[in-house]
Amino acid sequence: MSSTASDVHRPRPSAGTTTKAPTPRPRWRLRLGGHQPIGMLFVSPYLVYLAAIFVYPLGFAVWMSFHDYFFTAPGVQVDRPFVGLDNYTTVLTDPEVWRSFLNIAVFLVINVPLTTVGSLVLANALNKKLPFRSFFRTAYYIPYITASVAVVGVWLFLFNSDGLVNQALGPLAPDPSWLVNSHLAMPVVAVFVAWKQLGFFVVLYLSALQNVPQELYESAAIDGAGRMRIFRSITVPAVRPATLLVLILATITGANLFTEPYLLTSGGGPDGATTSPVLLMYQRGLQQGHPDEAAAIGVILVVLISAVSLGYRRLVERD
Amino acid sequence: MKKALFALLPVAALTLSACGSSGSDSSASNSSHGPITIWYSNNAQEVAWGKKMVAQWNAGHPKEKITAQEIPAGKSSEEVIGAAITAGNAPCLILNTAPAAVPGFQKQGGLVALDDFPDGRRYLQERVGGRLSQYASPDGKYYQMPWKSNPVMIFYNKELFKKAGLNPENPKLASYQDFLDTSRKLVAAKAAKAAIWPAPSSEFYQSWFDYYPMFAAQTGKQLVEDGKAQFASADGLKAAQLWKTMYAEHLAPNEKYNGDAFADGKAAMATVGPWAISVYGDKVKWGAVPVPTSDGAAGKGTFSDEKSIGMYTSCKNRGTAWDVMKFATSKDQDGKLLEATGQMPMRSDLTSAYPSYFASHKDYEVFARQAEHTIEAPNVPNSVEIWQTFRDAYTKAVIFGKGDLATALKDAAAKVNELAQGQ
């Protein structure tokens, strides 16, 4: 039997010792690449799930983006020729696609810092002994679990031209109003999404904060550190892994923006100011019958978001 | 781990492929008979009619029973149908097929050509008459049975007109100038917040309820004819300019109303079809006039807001499906549909076909006359993309008043011309 790499590097017993000779590895272990077959059996349902729900659709989307593809009835024979980068050329020369990516960049620049800072500050506050702490924790979480359609209705009530916000602002109300103002519509959407999802990220930070050793806070307090100094020097570094998670999740969910521009700003208005790449994918792929172009937009989005996430990781995890 | 993952991929691929490969039989014979399934619209009046029609058919055809249901809920029926075609589980007939979606469904291989049936073309011609040609596909075949229309007119609220000092029985709404003047008076008198409040949103179909009826009345043309966009013409520009003025002067708001602005008294007018008679009947004291033209001359047509019946290729018993389609569009059933819904069956000389109904429903007679002159969404490749292209340009140049209107329409027309060629 030929030796494996692990056999070669295994320390040999020194001369004169009576160490028991190593038991040869069973062949079935080698066949499974060193993994326990029982373990593999247990994880296989998840692997099937992962392959069916994530790997296959992603691979299929990439394949679609390089072919002339449209949905057909089963059994209908059509040519789906390889078209190289044609779909990418089509979408990258389309001003609407560029605008949608620009729109989502504006969204992320507002939404992600707001979500991250807001949820950390709130979690920090909710981690302390406050009156009605459970009530506040629940209150911040409720928008997250409420159907988007319902909360969109509330925001329309607040931000339409006759809404409560404009009534409160009086002559200071913007004209055109919030959701039909091409400069203000996307910021309103970004704030709305930050508000809606804050509860989820507060929970993430709360769990991270509860793992920070209490002794650190006590020592800092004894040394005379103020609240801001403690927050900056202990809390923020201690929750850095959670911050990375929040940044990545907020970016990914933000990049998938669809419901809010569709409902809050009537299909990506005003004048396309809130059209997101995913909204365009929906229009191109499902409404207009060009899933190949929609797939190309999706692949570009995945690549960009992966790059941004990698950037976060380098930024947050650097020493 | 990676090896195991990749080993599972073909299994997953096969599993998923299998999910989408059932339910179709492209070799199904047009003469095959047996049970079928149908979907109909989900508004209460059509459901009531549909149930009765199905019961009547089933009573006489025990071996060819219909199983019927409302079209499944979704963002729009077009997307639901498109998904069902792809999955191979579309029913035999859908009594809610939008003409604008037909080119897409046809491209998917989801629709059966009705003139492949021996009496198909003759039946369509006899029932629909001169308007039939609007429903032909680019290959010259008919993949839809034009079924019922809702020729749109201008509804107006008589009480709000009276409040603004306007004549509620004979309002001045014939020409664009009349329409503007009346709108200005309505808003200036604060009779309503808006003179008219069509949805200013970006969905591709919204133009059917603001610009397209005016364009059809002015030109008598479809948005695209002979592969060329028609809206950048002088007449198309006039209709767009009217709406641009309406938005610029805040006579029509550029913010969407969440609800029915006309029913709520927030708008004094609305562009709607006869379905609205039963809806607004008790809530609003309304009148209806034809869609205006630039000089006040009689309009050359109006948007039909039509729905067709499509037969889908997943159907195995197409012989029965064709018989049911003819049964559901027979003179008797059309009369019952008219009675139940107020929507106009796509029949030649409708008022003569149902004289007693129109004698007792005078409100509907004016719509029946309009129904003879309906203009349909063009049956061209990339139909939905064409409407979206137009809507995007319209939203920017008309609703939000950005840039030069003529240039915007001209640019959109150039793109539409390419799309109409199937590019």
Side-chain angles (χ1 to χ4, degrees), chain A residues 133-278:
Chain A
R133 186 169 70 168
S134 298
F135 167 77
F136 284 120
R137 284 181 176 181
T138 309
Y140 282 112
Y141 199 69
I142 280 177
Y144 179 70
I145 55 170
T146 307
S148 289
V149 175
V151 284
V152 159
V154 174
W155 274 61
L156 284 172
F157 178 67
L158 289 172
F159 281 94
N160 68 29
S161 54
D162 294 332
L164 285 180
V165 172
N166 280 359
Q167 284 179 25
L169 289 173
L172 296 175
D175 183 26
S177 191
W178 303 93
L179 296 170
V180 288
N181 186 313
S182 55
H183 301 294
L184 295 176
M186 190 49 115
V188 171
V189 170
V191 172
F192 168 81
V193 174
W195 167 79
K196 187 176 184 321
Q197 66 188 13
L198 211 55
F200 172 72
F201 294 112
V202 165
V203 170
L204 286 184
Y205 269 127
L206 269 175
S207 65
L209 284 170
Q210 283 162 13
N211 287 328
V212 182
Q214 200 58 31
E215 295 80 12
L216 288 177
Y217 290 112
E218 289 166 2
S219 303
I222 290 166
D223 290 345
R227 283 183 182 179
M228 279 305 295
R229 182 61 193 261
I230 290 174
F231 180 75
R232 205 173 64 241
S233 300
I234 297 177
T235 305
V236 173
V239 297
R240 189 175 282 177
T243 301
L244 178 63
L245 185 64
V246 169
L247 281 171
I248 290 174
L249 286 178
T251 303
I252 291 171
T253 53
N256 285 306
L257 186 71
F258 173 81
T259 311
E260 289 77 13
Y262 189 76
L263 294 176
L264 197 60
T265 56
S266 310
D271 178 28
T274 58
T275 301
S276 65
V278 176

Side-chain angles (χ1 to χ4, degrees), chain B residues 357-380:
Chain B
Y357 175 83
F358 288 106
S360 58
H361 295 78
K362 287 291 178 191
D363 291 341
Y364 288 86
E365 200 171 2
V366 64
F367 287 95
R369 285 197 296 272
Q370 287 288 312
E372 301 289 333
H373 308 286
T374 48
I375 306 289
E376 192 48 76
N379 192 334
V380 290

